[in-house]
Structure formats: C-alpha cells, structure tokens
Amino acid sequence: MLHHIELWVPDLPRAIRAWGWLLGRLGCDPYQEWEHGRSWRLGPTYLVVEQSPAMSVAGHDRMRPGLNHLAFHAGPPVRVDALAAEAPAHGWRPLFADRYPHAGGPEHYAAYLSNTDGFEVELVASEAHITANPRQLR
C-alpha cells in the first residue's frame, strides 16, 4: 500500500549515517543516490532522506502538526533489544527509557528512538515479520 516516504532533513551526511544504519539493520538495501538525497528500499517500498534546497525551515519537530514518528517491524524482542543497544552509537537516542520496552503499553514491546534531527522511530517487536524477512538478522 505504501509506495515511499520522503523525509526532508537539515544535514544529509548526518541523515545518511543515522538512517542508513537503521534501515540497513532492518533489512533495507541502498536504492537511489543523488546530490541532495539517498534512499533505501525493502520490497516495493522505499524511504528517502533529502536535503532539499526548497526547505522553509531548518529542523523537524515531531511535536508539531505533521509527522510524529515512523514505526517499523523489527523482529522478535531480542532483536529490538539489540537495535536499541546499538542505536546510540549511530545517532539515535532512546525516548521513554524509564518505561522500556513497554512505553506503548504492557502488551506492546518496542524501542522508541529519536535522532539528532528530531525524527522519531518506533521499533516494534513482531515475531511474524522476522520469519518473513530473514535479511533482518544481519
């Protein structure tokens, strides 16, 4: 159903480091590359980060109207734990750490992360997805 997501970022090299690491760990492959952007693809869906010269403001604020966060299937809980532990070395900081891994409720196992540019991701534990996508184990 979703074709692609395009995120406008204030610093392309920083976005490539943070998003490239995360999307690679989630099984995505590099897809497109141009002067102001990059993309990663998994199946028919891809995610773009672009430092567009048309941006009207320099930063993203997930608390303003618009995109709050992106939620990704991340495999079983042990995989979510591993990604959450690795994330700070790649430009992501934990959100709601005092309630990890159940910040979304007692039946919801997830890591919530925010990168230097203020984008939030939710890495959701889901046993079925890891079986359907063994590339996630890299």
Side-chain angles (χ1 to χ4, degrees), residues 2-5 31-32 39-42 44-48:
L2 190 61
H3 187 270
H4 74 276
I5 296 168
Y31 178 47
Q32 300 162 316
S39 68
W40 294 264
R41 182 179 203 149
L42 181 62
T45 305
Y46 61 98
L47 188 138
V48 175

Side-chain angles (χ1 to χ4, degrees), residues 11 65 68 70 108 124 133:
D11 185 301
N68 176 263
L70 297 173
H108 186 71
V124 182
N133 183 10

Side-chain angles (χ1 to χ4, degrees), residues 22-86:
L22 179 63
L23 296 170
R25 297 289 281 144
L26 293 173
C28 299
D29 291 315
Y31 178 47
Q32 300 162 316
E33 182 176 328
W34 63 101
E35 181 182 359
H36 297 289
R38 301 290 184 280
S39 68
W40 294 264
R41 182 179 203 149
L42 181 62
T45 305
Y46 61 98
L47 188 138
V48 175
V49 296
E50 181 176 0
Q51 187 173 354
S52 173
M55 281 191 304
S56 62
V57 295
H60 172 74
D61 183 349
R62 66 184 182 82
M63 302 301 279
R64 299 183 91 187
L67 178 72
N68 176 263
H69 72 278
L70 297 173
F72 295 96
H73 293 283
V78 66
R79 182 82 172 119
V80 171
D81 293 342
L83 290 168
E86 295 169 18

Side-chain angles (χ1 to χ4, degrees), residues 119-133:
F119 288 97
E120 179 185 342
V121 296
E122 178 181 353
L123 304 179
V124 182
S126 57
E127 298 287 341
H129 186 70
I130 195 70
T131 304
N133 183 10

